[in-house]
Amino acid sequence: MVEAVHELDREVSVDSSIVRAHQHAHAAVPAARPRPRWAVGSCGGPTTRIHLACDGHGPPLSIVLSGGNVNDCTQFTQVMAGIAFRRPRPGRPATRPSRVIADKGYSTKVIRTHLRKRGIPATIPERRDQQSNRKRKGGAGGRTPAFDRTAYTRRNAVGRCFNKLKQFRAIATRFDKTATSYRGMLDLATLLIWL
């Protein structure tokens, strides 16, 4: 029974969410110094994207910030690099999840190859365009990626985690001018969720 709970803890769900920046979160960097592209802003307005991985019970394990116009899949390896599972005995923390669950935004060859090299099973649905391209190529298109529908139902853990984080007003709407300040608020909220 203990092993089953342990395996559920190491099952990781990955997703991202966009946070709108308040009007007071602008112009933190003087005009003489160029502002990092991801600090605040996107083509759709001033937004920040939170890329998050959480365990099977919902607490966040790894958070990466980017601009609102950054695609989910481009930050996947950074999010995975931040994951660490504490062991009950002394030693380095484990960094390999028992499974990664993500939505179609993460259905890329690069991500699937990355997970396969690390020996991590992936539950990521294949996009329709990928399915049609594979079928069009016939035998050269490769096999259909494995997809466990039962495991995919547990992806709601990451949605619940975002709901908990956005209960904090300073996270639901970005008021901080700098990415460092906003990241500090995210870290504080993460600690409160873990308590």
Side-chain angles (χ1 to χ4, degrees):
M1 186 66 171
V2 174
E3 288 177 3
V5 171
H6 179 67
E7 285 301 312
L8 183 63
D9 285 346
R10 291 186 57 182
E11 187 174 79
V12 171
S13 295
V14 181
D15 206 353
S16 71
S17 180
I18 291 179
V19 174
R20 183 112 173 113
H22 192 268
Q23 63 184 1
H24 296 166
H26 299 286
V29 181
R33 198 173 76 196
R35 186 175 72 170
R37 275 186 57 206
W38 60 273
V40 175
S42 75
C43 297
T47 57
T48 299
R49 188 179 289 263
I50 302 170
H51 303 269
L52 176 98
C54 70
D55 76 359
H57 293 299
L61 296 171
S62 176
I63 295 175
V64 173
L65 289 179
S66 71
N69 59 344
V70 175
N71 199 335
D72 295 352
C73 61
T74 59
Q75 303 299 311
F76 180 79
T77 52
Q78 280 186 284
V79 172
M80 292 300 290
I83 293 174
F85 298 100
R86 208 170 46 144
R87 297 179 191 262
R89 53 190 178 277
R92 291 186 308 177
T95 58
R96 192 171 57 153
S98 62
R99 174 180 300 277
V100 170
I101 304 171
D103 63 11
K104 291 180 183 180
Y106 296 91
S107 180
T108 66
K109 187 175 183 179
V110 173
I111 289 175
R112 291 184 192 278
T113 304
H114 172 76
L115 293 172
R116 197 175 306 116
K117 282 182 181 175
R118 292 189 64 201
I120 302 169
T123 301
I124 304 171
E126 194 176 28
R127 294 193 315 260
R128 283 192 181 151
D129 64 325
Q130 292 172 331
Q131 291 172 2
S132 61
N133 287 340
R134 191 172 31 76
K135 288 175 184 173
R136 185 175 42 82
K137 292 178 182 177
R143 293 183 298 175
T144 305
F147 181 70
D148 184 354
R149 287 188 184 280
T150 307
Y152 191 68
T153 60
R154 296 192 293 270
R155 192 180 75 85
N156 65 20
V158 72
R160 291 193 319 264
C161 183
F162 274 120
N163 286 342
K164 287 178 186 174
L165 282 172
K166 289 188 176 184
Q167 291 297 314
F168 298 92
R169 181 173 177 256
I171 292 171
T173 302
R174 179 174 168 171
F175 295 97
D176 298 296
K177 290 181 186 261
T178 64
T180 306
S181 301
Y182 187 65
R183 177 60 199 242
M185 289 304 298
L186 276 167
D187 290 342
L188 180 62
T190 300
L191 288 170
L192 292 172
I193 289 171
W194 272 97
L195 294 177

